[in-house]
């Protein structure tokens, strides 16, 4: 079964628009878990526009009550301290998650939009991956579906890759007008995932995934371990309620 990790960044963004703690992140996470979520994901950025550094210890302590629920922290491993943000590695050291997903997003990016270029960053990442292993974290690298790059991810000690599925989601949306591009991109992801599996790497996926485009991806990637979904799931919950939405995503992952 493919695990569903719910990214709660957008709930934190809503909370941050007013003073106080409403909506309550821990209460929202508890609801997601009760409804069947297998994990909770956060992506704390240096500007702290959604999840804040101060949220992480409380989430870590809260999720320790759920032995089968995974805590996943995403972020740029090269992000340094800024104001009350201690730097990504320091933040992880304070509250080690089960999984640490490393993402090459710059401070100026609205959202993550590409995987690592390991021909450039491999040697910078190698000691960081070892450091995170020392903290007890599984390490996943955010990657484009490029087999050469994925081989390097394996060489520098990553445990998993997370395939960046933004282009896949866009091609799926446009498939009626350009089915060939969608099929080609789907096959790229399938080949990349199969290569990762052959190397012994776990395979995650994330970005712009929703209940419409998930079944085709799951069918093409039978080795898929986990998806991390926040934006679309939060929007769907506004329309359909959280219970129906979580159920719909769980069903989509079983196609």
């Amino acid at each position: 079964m493919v695990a569903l990790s719910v990214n709660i960044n957008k709930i934190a963004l809503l909370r941050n628009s007013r003073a106080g703690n409403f909506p309550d992140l821990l209460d929202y996470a508890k609801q997601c878990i009760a409804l069947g979520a297998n994990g909770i994901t956060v992506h704390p950025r240096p500007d702290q526009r959604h999840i804040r550094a101060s949220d992480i210890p409380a989430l870590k302590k809260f999720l320790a009550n759920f032995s089968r629920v995974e805590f996943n922290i995403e972020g740029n491993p090269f992000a340094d301290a800024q104001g009350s943000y201690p730097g990504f590695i320091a933040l992880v050291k304070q509250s080690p998650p089960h999984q640490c997903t490393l993402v090459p997003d710059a401070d100026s990016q609205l959202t993550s939009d590409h995987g690592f270029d390991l021909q450039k960053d491999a040697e910078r990442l190698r000691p960081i991956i070892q450091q995170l292993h020392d903290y007890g974290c599984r390490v996943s690298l955010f990657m484009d579906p490029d087999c050469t790059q994925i081989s390097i991810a394996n060489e520098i000690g990553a445990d998993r890759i997370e395939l960046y599925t933004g282009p896949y989601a866009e091609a799926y949306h446009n498939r009626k007008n350009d089915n060939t591009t969608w099929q080609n991109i789907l096959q790229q992801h399938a080949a990349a995932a199969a290569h990762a599996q052959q190397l012994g790497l776990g395979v995650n996926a994330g970005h712009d995934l929703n209940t419409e485009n998930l079944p085709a991806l799951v069918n093409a990637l039978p080795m898929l371990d986990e998806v991390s979904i926040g934006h679309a799931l939060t929007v769907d919950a506004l329309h359909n309620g959280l219970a129906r939405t979580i159920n719909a995503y769980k069903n989509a992952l079983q196609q």
Side-chain angles (χ1 to χ4, degrees):
M1 183 184 73
V2 183
L4 171 65
S5 188
V6 177
N7 188 317
I8 63 174
N9 276 16
K10 291 298 166 64
I11 304 304
L13 180 67
L14 181 61
R15 177 203 61 187
N16 294 352
S17 66
R18 292 288 188 273
N21 186 39
F22 181 71
D24 186 307
L25 295 184
L26 300 186
D27 181 65
Y28 184 80
K30 183 178 181 180
Q31 291 184 60
C32 291
I33 293 166
L35 293 167
N38 308 105
I40 298 295
T41 291
V42 293
H43 189 145
R45 290 181 166 88
D47 63 10
Q48 304 192 81
R49 62 182 181 264
H50 30 61
I51 288 292
R52 298 168 177 155
S54 58
D55 292 321
I56 303 302
L59 276 166
K60 161 86 173 180
K61 181 178 179 181
F62 172 73
L63 293 174
N65 296 312
F66 304 92
S67 61
R68 298 182 181 180
V69 175
E70 180 181 275
F71 187 27
N72 177 42
I73 300 180
E74 301 178 343
N76 189 332
F78 308 128
D80 294 324
Q82 297 182 32
S84 60
Y85 179 81
F88 183 76
I89 298 302
L91 185 62
V92 171
K93 182 180 180 180
Q94 292 170 5
S95 302
H98 301 98
Q99 177 172 267
C100 193
T101 301
L102 306 184
V103 182
D105 60 333
D107 292 355
S108 59
Q109 284 180 235
L110 182 63
T111 185
S112 308
D113 60 12
H114 63 279
F116 276 105
D117 179 357
L118 294 183
Q119 293 178 333
K120 180 182 72 174
D121 288 326
E123 292 313 310
R124 294 174 70 197
L125 282 169
R126 189 191 298 271
I128 291 173
I129 292 171
Q130 182 57 58
Q131 187 176 8
L132 293 171
H133 283 160
D134 291 342
Y135 297 159
C137 305
R138 179 202 307 138
V139 179
S140 178
L141 298 184
F142 199 63
M143 302 293 296
D144 298 313
D146 182 318
C147 291
T148 299
Q149 294 274 355
I150 291 169
S151 292
I152 301 174
N154 180 61
E155 291 169 6
I156 62 175
D159 304 293
R160 291 188 183 184
I161 59 164
E162 179 174 325
L163 288 172
Y164 166 53
T165 52
Y168 162 77
E170 182 178 4
Y172 181 90
H173 181 73
N174 296 322
R175 71 194 184 284
K176 291 183 180 179
N177 297 321
D178 188 358
N179 187 64
T180 299
T181 296
W182 171 58
Q183 290 290 339
N184 287 342
I185 290 178
L186 180 61
Q187 289 306 311
Q188 288 174 10
H189 283 71
H195 181 66
Q197 183 186 43
Q198 186 177 28
L199 294 172
L201 293 168
V203 180
N204 299 342
H207 206 83
D208 291 339
L209 295 175
N210 58 38
T211 53
E212 293 184 3
N213 59 38
L214 269 172
L217 187 72
V218 172
N219 283 335
L221 277 65
M223 73 294 289
L224 192 61
D225 291 301
E226 173 188 297
V227 295
S228 174
I229 304 177
H231 183 82
L233 190 150
T234 305
V235 173
D236 288 347
L238 292 175
H239 290 285
N240 303 317
L242 187 59
R244 286 180 59 190
T245 296
I246 294 285
N247 186 58
Y249 277 88
K250 296 286 284 186
N251 286 339
L253 290 171
Q254 295 175 17
Q255 297 299 314

